[in-house]
Amino acid sequence: KTNYLKTIINFIDSQDFLSELVSPFEVDMTKLYNIHPKKIIYNGPIKSFDSIKYVLNGGGVVNADSFDDLKNIILIAKKLKDLNFKRIGVRFSFDENNLQSRFGIEFNSDNLEKILSIIKVINLNFPRCLHIHFPKRDIKSFEERVRKICKILSNLRKEHNINNTIID
């Protein structure tokens, strides 16, 4: 992420790591460095039509950062003809002390229902990825967020009978 040293990027890519990107510029960098789009997780609040289309067409993950972002991603996905594996995710934030983030859609039951209704337009029952942002860079914050998202995903699997959603 935000590292443009080709030697390091090529080494990490060769080790089968995914590239997390947050801008159209970074998507363009992956093209220059021959990173396949299926190895991209695309986050960030500002994405271009072309960058979303490129990542989705190549089988990468595109995470929505807001309802407007999600609607835009769905509109683009509807225009893609051969989109067999829709890897569209959602970045969540939590309205709790120590877990708040300026990025993502606040997780609550109303917002979840709204997300599910938006993605149904392309016959997607549930997001393929749940992403959480880590504004604090400490192990306690990391542990709290991971526990929270794992609990949420476990509950959602029971309620919605899903088995193919990943956590980022």
Side-chain angles (χ1 to χ4, degrees):
K1 179 177 175 179
T2 62
N3 181 334
Y4 311 117
L5 298 173
K6 189 170 187 198
T7 305
I8 293 172
I9 291 171
N10 286 340
F11 172 75
I12 291 171
D13 185 54
S14 74
Q15 301 303 303
D16 252 357
F17 284 90
L18 300 179
S19 294
E20 181 190 11
L21 312 175
V22 297
S23 70
F25 170 77
E26 290 182 357
V27 171
D28 288 342
M29 293 299 293
T30 65
K31 295 173 189 177
L32 290 173
Y33 293 167
N34 296 316
I35 295 172
H36 196 281
K38 73 180 176 187
K39 293 176 74 178
I40 292 174
I41 298 176
Y42 193 15
N43 297 312
I46 301 174
K47 302 172 187 81
S48 69
F49 175 91
D50 289 339
S51 62
I52 293 169
K53 180 180 173 187
Y54 174 77
V55 175
L56 286 179
N57 257 338
V61 176
V62 179
N63 289 322
D65 212 78
S66 66
F67 284 112
D68 287 339
D69 194 25
L70 181 60
K71 289 174 185 174
N72 191 36
I73 292 165
I74 297 301
L75 284 174
I76 294 167
K78 281 173 50 177
K79 293 179 181 182
L80 303 177
K81 295 184 182 195
D82 296 325
L83 192 61
N84 296 324
F85 188 68
K86 299 167 190 81
R87 296 180 71 190
I88 296 170
V90 177
R91 181 187 277 197
F92 282 121
S93 66
F94 307 110
D95 187 23
E96 296 177 22
N97 293 340
N98 301 330
L99 296 180
Q100 294 173 331
S101 169
R102 63 188 172 123
F103 297 111
I105 299 170
E106 183 182 324
F107 181 83
N108 61 47
S109 59
D110 290 341
N111 285 347
L112 178 62
E113 290 307 313
K114 188 174 178 181
I115 290 165
L116 296 178
S117 70
I118 292 169
I119 65 174
K120 276 211 183 293
V121 170
I122 57 168
N123 297 320
L124 186 61
N125 293 327
F126 201 82
R128 296 287 192 247
C129 181
L130 302 181
H131 174 82
I132 49 178
H133 180 246
F134 295 96
K136 294 182 180 179
R137 306 288 188 211
D138 60 75
I139 195 70
K140 185 175 177 14
S141 174
F142 179 82
E143 180 182 18
E144 288 178 34
R145 280 179 169 71
V146 170
R147 283 184 196 269
K148 177 87 172 173
I149 199 71
C150 286
K151 183 177 179 183
I152 287 169
L153 185 56
S154 177
N155 290 338
L156 292 173
R157 282 185 171 152
K158 291 174 191 168
E159 294 171 20
H160 294 277
N161 194 28
I162 57 162
N163 293 310
N164 58 355
T165 297
I166 61 171
I167 295 174
D168 172 32

